[in-house]
Amino acid sequence: MLKIEDLFVSYGHIMAVKGVDMEINEGEIVCLIGANGAGKTTIMQSISGLVPVRKGRIFFEGKNIAKEKSHKICSLGIAQVPEGRRIFSHLTVEDNLDLGAFTRKDSSQEIEKDKERFFAQFPRMKERQKQIAGTLSGGEQQMLAMGRAILSRPKLLILDEPSMGLSPLFVKEIFETIKRLNETGTTILLVEQNARTALKIADRCYVLETGKISLSGKSSELLNDPKIKEAYLGA
Ligand SMILES: Nc1ncnc2c1ncn2[C@@H]1O[C@H](COP(=O)(O)OP(=O)(O)O)[C@@H](O)[C@H]1O
Ligand SMILES: [Mg+2]
């Protein structure tokens, strides 16, 4: 579904991503782990067209999107929940969800159905439909950010550190949602610092070190890899 080849991204003189190759097959959950500053967010944003690709190719369903504008990439079926959530804090919960569905071309009934499905999964969000999003708790804002992305009905959903700063209860709920979304057909690219949780949920995993992939493989294998254990699992 997604194939990244020899990706380079820089900020001025700083080369943040240095020749990354990655692949995500339809139906998979793939995670990208790595220390702070490794370049995880930069890779996510280059897929979504939010930072310019310096060199390399990003194929989505066979089409090179490395030079496409972000709204075009979004309309192809790639949605991103950015680091730090970034909901529209002055709008209501419902308005935020409607904005997620903004680019959809199918009927409003279909959109309403997806909304109801989201509310069924998150009754807390239903109760707060009319609430100003900025007054939600951190965990609720993360759910809303995910809801907004889900409402765009993406083929590929990119999540940048969805568990960051959340209580264990919310983390559990967020990861259950990710799993459920995947089971209903959404392909997932997950960026996490919480490597253990990410490896448990993902099919495959890439490890990023200062802009380069240092290791990749099946999550079940990486969970038992001595290097991974030492560097990322605190064992
Ligand atoms: N807007 C920016 N301007 C300059 N440097 C940046 C910018 N965003 C990120 N960087 C640098 O790029 C590198 C990778 O950052 P980032 O992709 O955010 O890493 P991660 O998400 O893995 O923590 C870091 O060295 C960071 O300081
Ligand atoms: Mg980041």
Side-chain angles (χ1 to χ4, degrees):
M1 178 178 257
L2 189 86
K3 190 165 199 216
I4 299 176
E5 289 178 355
D6 201 28
L7 179 69
F8 285 78
V9 184
S10 61
Y11 300 103
H13 300 299
I14 300 167
M15 196 59 86
V17 176
K18 310 171 214 175
V20 160
D21 295 289
M22 275 178 77
E23 212 171 333
I24 303 169
N25 301 305
E26 194 176 345
E28 278 188 313
I29 300 181
V30 171
C31 77
L32 178 63
I33 61 175
N36 221 337
K40 304 181 297 298
T41 296
T42 304
I43 293 177
M44 303 303 102
Q45 295 201 321
S46 64
I47 297 170
S48 295
L50 299 169
V51 298
V53 169
R54 175 79 165 265
K55 179 174 174 278
R57 295 159 299 278
I58 302 173
F59 293 100
F60 180 63
E61 298 187 317
K63 184 182 183 310
N64 188 0
I65 56 165
K67 300 278 180 226
E68 291 287 1
K69 297 261 189 302
S70 57
H71 63 89
K72 178 73 195 295
I73 294 168
C74 177
S75 72
L76 292 174
I78 300 180
Q80 179 163 179
V81 180
E83 200 175 12
R85 336 199 217 284
R86 299 209 204 111
I87 51 160
F88 296 102
S89 57
H90 57 291
L91 298 180
T92 64
V93 165
E94 192 171 25
D95 290 341
N96 268 277
L97 292 173
D98 287 339
L99 280 168
F102 186 68
T103 56
R104 276 170 67 169
K105 290 173 189 72
D106 53 349
S107 71
S108 54
Q109 279 132 305
E110 281 300 302
I111 293 171
E112 279 309 311
K113 260 193 236 161
D114 282 356
K115 235 199 266 183
E116 282 313 313
R117 212 169 292 143
F118 174 71
F119 284 143
Q121 282 172 16
F122 295 109
R124 207 170 4 218
M125 289 287 106
K126 190 174 170 69
E127 287 163 19
R128 289 166 172 74
Q129 269 181 81
K130 305 290 177 203
Q131 190 170 324
I132 297 296
T135 63
L136 297 171
S137 77
E140 289 162 357
Q141 290 190 21
Q142 180 66 52
M143 278 173 189
L144 179 57
M146 284 184 70
R148 198 178 58 189
I150 294 166
L151 260 290
S152 75
R153 249 202 207 177
K155 295 174 188 165
L156 174 65
L157 178 63
I158 299 174
L159 300 157
D160 195 352
E161 308 221 22
S163 74
M164 189 151 59
L166 300 187
S167 67
L169 188 70
F170 269 114
V171 173
K172 192 163 168 270
E173 234 174 293
I174 292 288
F175 277 90
E176 276 166 8
T177 308
I178 295 170
K179 244 191 165 142
R180 208 176 314 126
L181 274 172
N182 179 251
E183 282 160 8
T184 53
T186 312
T187 305
I188 310 267
L189 175 57
L190 174 66
V191 172
E192 266 293 334
Q193 276 204 328
N194 186 344
R196 190 182 300 277
T197 319
L199 282 166
K200 277 189 190 148
I201 189 180
D203 300 297
R204 287 187 305 113
C205 183
Y206 291 87
V207 181
L208 191 68
E209 273 177 42
T210 56
K212 288 182 184 162
I213 301 291
S214 60
L215 204 63
S216 67
K218 278 192 185 158
S219 299
S220 52
E221 286 162 13
L222 293 188
L223 267 170
N224 293 313
D225 186 295
K227 271 185 295 189
I228 295 289
K229 276 186 172 168
E230 197 194 324
Y232 299 99
L233 303 176

